[in-house]
């Protein structure tokens, strides 16, 4: 798993949500609040429609970000069937897809953010530990007596309490090997967290399954009569004719 692209793509997906998800949460929340406040005024119908479009755009970016782990999430919004701003407002504000977008972007943001942050809080330090031989010699750490020494302390940064000093190449290589083994197991957790996040996104951002899809497919498929070839009607032969 560690040598495949899956954990690195999952890392990009989770890390991207920490930034993009937070921005979309703020933007979508502001858009919903503005649309709810001004929806009572007829002159601001266009502003309310614009707020719905802002939420939709944020959800569209989240659907596209799914390509980091899997395929982009499909979507389907309710079409406008009535003319004028009132028709647009009715179609946008009564569309169930809009409320699912709000649920993902706003209501579930704290839980998804906590999931991604905790996963990265375990995963990224392990990757940093794997790279210890590359940079441990360039760091100065504080000792218990207040002085500084070259190397990295695995433990409390002030030099007190239990900890391990990484100040030689053999120590750095051993620590890197230990972190590498832990990272091998943690890579499965990173991929699982990204899959869980993506499953939540699919449940809310993709169109709900059509309960009549199977019946529609059967009706659209050619029937058994179409498999029979039409034969020409029986008629007189080329040499035909009855003799009297």
């Amino acid at each position: 798993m560690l040598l495949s692209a899956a954990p690195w793509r999952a890392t990009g997906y989770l890390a991207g949500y920490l930034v993009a998800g937070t921005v979309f949460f703020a933007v979508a929340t502001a858009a919903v609040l503005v649309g709810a406040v001004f929806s009572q005024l007829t002159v601001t119908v266009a502003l309310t429609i614009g707020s719905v479009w802002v939420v939709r755009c944020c959800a569209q970016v989240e659907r596209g970000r799914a390509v980091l782990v899997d395929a982009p999430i499909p979507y389907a919004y309710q079409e406008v069937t009535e003319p004028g701003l009132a028709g647009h407002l009715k179609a946008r504000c009564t569309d169930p897809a809009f409320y699912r977008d709000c649920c993902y972007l706003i209501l579930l943001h704290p839980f998804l953010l906590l999931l991604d942050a905790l996963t990265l809080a375990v995963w990224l330090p392990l990757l940093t530990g794997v790279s210890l031989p590359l940079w441990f010699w360039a760091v100065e750490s504080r000792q218990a007596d207040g002085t500084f020494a070259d190397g990295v302390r695995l433990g409390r940064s002030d030099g007190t309490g239990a900890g391990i000093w990484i100040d030689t190449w053999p120590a750095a290589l051993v620590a890197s090997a230990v972190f590498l083994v832990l990272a091998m197991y943690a890579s499965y957790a990173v991929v699982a967290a990204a899959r869980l996040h993506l499953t939540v996104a699919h449940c809310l951002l993709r169109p709900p399954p059509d309960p009549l899809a199977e019946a529609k497919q059967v009706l659209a498929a050619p029937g058994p009569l179409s498999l029979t070839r039409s034969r020409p009607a029986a008629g007189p032969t080329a040499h035909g004719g009855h003799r009297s």
Side-chain angles (χ1 to χ4, degrees), residues 19-33 54-55 58 105-106 109:
V19 179
T22 303
V23 173
F24 294 154
F25 168 76
V27 173
T29 302
V32 170
L33 292 178
V54 169
V55 174
C58 295
L105 296 172
I106 301 175
H109 172 71

Side-chain angles (χ1 to χ4, degrees), residues 54-137:
V54 169
V55 174
R56 179 184 294 192
C57 291
C58 295
Q60 287 290 71
V61 176
E62 276 297 304
R63 292 184 179 96
R65 278 197 339 105
V67 73
L68 293 174
V69 182
D70 200 357
I73 301 176
Y75 65 94
Y77 287 101
Q78 183 173 302
E79 296 182 357
V80 180
T81 57
E82 300 180 7
L85 291 177
H88 280 269
L89 182 63
K90 180 181 179 181
R92 304 309 180 198
C93 294
T94 59
D95 190 355
F98 168 71
Y99 296 99
R100 293 196 300 269
D101 293 347
C102 292
C103 182
Y104 176 83
L105 296 172
I106 301 175
L107 297 182
L108 291 182
H109 172 71
F111 304 99
L112 296 176
L113 185 68
L114 181 62
L115 170 67
D116 297 358
L118 290 179
T119 304
L120 294 177
V122 175
W123 171 243
L124 295 181
L126 293 178
L127 296 181
T128 304
V130 173
S131 64
L132 267 175
L134 301 177
W135 54 269
F136 80 95
W137 46 268

Side-chain angles (χ1 to χ4, degrees), residues 191-217:
V191 174
R195 288 290 179 181
L196 177 59
H197 188 142
L198 186 62
T199 300
V200 175
H202 269 278
C203 291
L204 293 174
L205 297 183
R206 73 177 302 157
D210 187 1
L212 301 178
E214 186 176 355
K216 293 179 180 179
Q217 184 177 4

